[in-house]
Amino acid sequence: LDERRGLRAAFALQVGGGALLCAVLALPLASYYGVPKQPFREAVAYAVAQRRDGVVVPIYTAQMGVRYYGVQHPSVTALVEGDTVRYARTAQALERILREENGRPLVLVTTFPRALRLGRPQLDAMVKAWWHPVETFRASVGDGDVTVWLPFSY
């Protein structure tokens, strides 16, 4: 009888310890899952609100997120490719957009700044020289924050 009690107590202790361990390990998940992987929906809505009569320009790695949430599945006014949204994956493409837009303000959207800095250093330098970050939306993906930039003259 005492042996059974001892086994039950050991089993209860193991189950209780396991449950406590699970609870402790699950606590950080609430904050982790409270942050989107990449908050393009919020960033695009913010960029659209900031653009006035300008153009939203996703830079390099931000293209697919802006296309998906701004053009294909918008939560606010849809962006129109070639009109209210243009894509720049290189410094030359951004220079061409600047020339073609003839003074219309460009609201930039970036993500993965390390990839931009290493993969397109000229484009990265151009963005930092002519625009300033106005809002950054936190992401749970490493280095995946989404930033909206406005021209210094805006």
Side-chain angles (χ1 to χ4, degrees):
L1 190 61
D2 283 339
E3 187 178 320
R4 278 187 157 167
R5 271 193 205 141
L7 288 174
R8 283 185 188 150
F11 179 73
L13 189 58
Q14 288 175 346
V15 170
L20 180 62
L21 181 61
C22 286
V24 168
L25 292 174
L27 283 175
L29 293 177
S31 63
Y32 176 79
Y33 284 107
V35 176
K37 285 184 181 179
Q38 282 199 283
F40 274 105
R41 185 180 308 278
E42 295 85 357
V44 167
Y46 185 81
V48 166
Q50 298 301 309
R51 78 172 186 82
R52 300 181 202 149
D53 64 336
V55 178
V56 174
V57 181
I59 300 295
Y60 192 41
T61 54
Q63 178 177 335
M64 296 307 291
V66 172
R67 177 176 281 144
Y68 185 84
Y69 289 106
V71 177
Q72 298 170 344
H73 304 282
S75 61
V76 294
T77 305
L79 295 170
V80 178
E81 290 183 334
D83 180 27
T84 55
V85 66
R86 308 271 310 266
Y87 305 103
R89 294 186 54 80
T90 65
Q92 295 78 13
L94 185 54
E95 288 170 350
R96 186 183 70 251
I97 292 168
L98 278 166
R99 277 192 315 274
E100 291 173 358
E101 291 304 329
N102 200 23
R104 281 175 76 188
L106 304 183
V107 177
L108 307 186
V109 179
T110 62
T111 189
F112 297 115
R114 184 173 189 274
L116 177 60
R117 187 177 65 253
L118 296 175
R120 299 288 194 272
Q122 286 180 302
L123 181 57
D124 181 57
M126 191 174 174
V127 167
K128 291 173 181 171
W130 296 350
W131 287 267
H132 64 97
V134 290
E135 191 71 42
T136 297
F137 299 86
R138 275 190 49 223
S140 62
V141 171
D143 201 37
D145 292 352
V146 182
T147 302
V148 177
W149 303 67
L150 292 177
F152 282 113
S153 61
Y154 207 54

